Amino acid sequence: MKTIIVTGGAGYIGSHTLIELLQTTDFKIVSIDNYSNSDASTYQRVSQITNKPFDQIDIDLCDKKALNESLNKYPKIDGIIHFAAFKTVPESVTLPVKYYNNNLVSLLNLLDYCKEKNIRHFIFSSSCSVYGNADELPVTEETPLKKAESSYAHTKQIGEEILNYFAPSVPDFKAIILRYFNPVGAHISGLNGELPISKPNNLVPIITQTASGKNNLTVFGNDYNTPDGTCIRDYIHVTDIATAHVKALLYLFESGAPEKLSVFNLGTGKGVSVLEAIKSFEKMSGQQLNYTIGGRRAGDVIAVYANNEKAKTKLKWEPQLTIDDMMLSAWKWQENLNKGLVKLYS
Ligand code: WQD
């Protein structure tokens, strides 16, 4: 049985990927998390949903000694899915050193361990923010990367570059870079979803909190050169992101996967504006959303959405869920949070 390490497994995308791995493979799953942006209660909900066992290691990946000692317990590790990273864009603008330190040292420690222990399959969590303000839309994996708009996005660009140089240095090592567009929504059971530790920055949790009277949504600008004046993004259901990781692992394990390093866009290929997202939420939740129109947010790109053909053909992956599914699942999760069904952050 293959052993797979999932770093950041208590996080938003990580925990949804744990669920898909546990429910659709017979891999032995080991999750590593230091709860810097997540909560251990998430593991209980993963177990509740899947009723499958998995190991958890509560360490900081930047602690090389702790990492090596923890992983040495496993006789053989067949692959690593590396989610763990700081990812709050506005915070990364004010605290760049925190982001470079955490996001890069953790990656380097993992890659060092891969070389030492001959771990030959690696999946790196990247982001559409590596494209910056792209000149062409939709973006393909070959679209030239522009200047990163934040140190968070820059750590993802650097991480990809590190893999570009690391992969050829280790015989038989194969890596996949997955560039997520905007992951949103919650698990269909309503028992797992985004759990911001502090005030969220991302649109969808702010929408669901606003509908619950716990936040106030401001639309950041309606004077952009787009059909309705608001920014356009490629929102993709977190479960579709999770299933892509399972497909990527299977692609790596297939003997036929020829590339030492390959990159895939994980988006739906559809651009949705902020106002369209709000309309979808109102339709699916039956809630009238109160919001105000404010000024533009620094660092926002006007529009970005994916050409996802490469992932569809090579990974045999197809996003299944629509913006309406995303909004309904996000609202169901928020309602369960409101009812106290899951631990709330103080
Ligand atoms: C979406 C749209 C905002 C909040 C970020 C990261 C990206 C990825 C996804 C990690 C924008 C508008 C938002 C609000 C608003 N994260 N908005 N009012 O910035 O596209 O992407 O999250 O991988 O790397 O950069 O996501 O949800 O913050 O914003 O009008 O209160 O919603 O202006 O147009 P973003 P977002």
Side-chain angles (χ1 to χ4, degrees), residues 76-104:
K76 187 174 181 313
I77 294 171
D78 297 279
I80 294 179
I81 304 179
H82 180 38
F83 290 106
F86 293 153
K87 59 143 192 157
T88 305
V89 170
E91 183 190 46
S92 82
V93 173
T94 54
L95 298 173
V97 172
K98 175 182 175 184
Y99 275 67
Y100 290 121
N101 224 341
N102 182 69
N103 293 5
L104 299 180

Side-chain angles (χ1 to χ4, degrees), residues 13 86-90 125-130 149-150 152-153 156 179-184 194 200-207 210 215-221 224 230-235 272-275 277-278 292 294-304:
I13 304 173
F86 293 153
K87 59 143 192 157
T88 305
V89 170
S125 162
S126 190
S127 163
C128 62
S129 52
V130 302
E149 296 287 334
S150 65
Y152 158 75
K156 292 301 181 183
R179 290 175 180 164
Y180 315 149
F181 281 69
N182 284 52
V184 296
E194 203 162 357
N201 293 286
N202 287 111
L203 177 66
V204 173
I206 294 172
I207 285 178
T210 299
N215 209 323
N216 298 297
L217 173 64
T218 301
V219 173
F220 294 140
Y224 286 98
T230 63
C231 291
I232 292 169
R233 295 288 183 276
D234 186 333
Y235 299 99
V272 171
S273 75
V274 177
L275 291 180
I278 290 170
T292 54
R296 296 181 175 190
R297 178 174 68 175
D300 270 338
V301 298
I302 300 168
V304 64

Side-chain angles (χ1 to χ4, degrees), residues 42-52 191 341-342:
T42 301
Y43 285 142
Q44 291 152 21
R45 287 185 271 100
V46 170
S47 300
Q48 190 182 350
I49 292 166
T50 63
N51 199 22
K52 293 279 178 66
L191 294 175
L341 270 185
V342 287

Side-chain angles (χ1 to χ4, degrees), residues 9-19 39 41-43 45-46 48-49 185-195 237-239 329-330 332-334 336 342:
Y12 175 45
I13 304 173
S15 59
H16 285 86
T17 303
L18 285 189
I19 292 167
D39 188 88
S41 66
T42 301
Y43 285 142
R45 287 185 271 100
V46 170
Q48 190 182 350
I49 292 166
H187 190 261
I188 192 162
S189 65
L191 294 175
N192 195 37
E194 203 162 357
L195 203 54
H237 198 289
V238 64
T239 296
S329 65
K332 190 175 165 188
W333 166 244
Q334 181 68 55
N336 285 340
V342 287

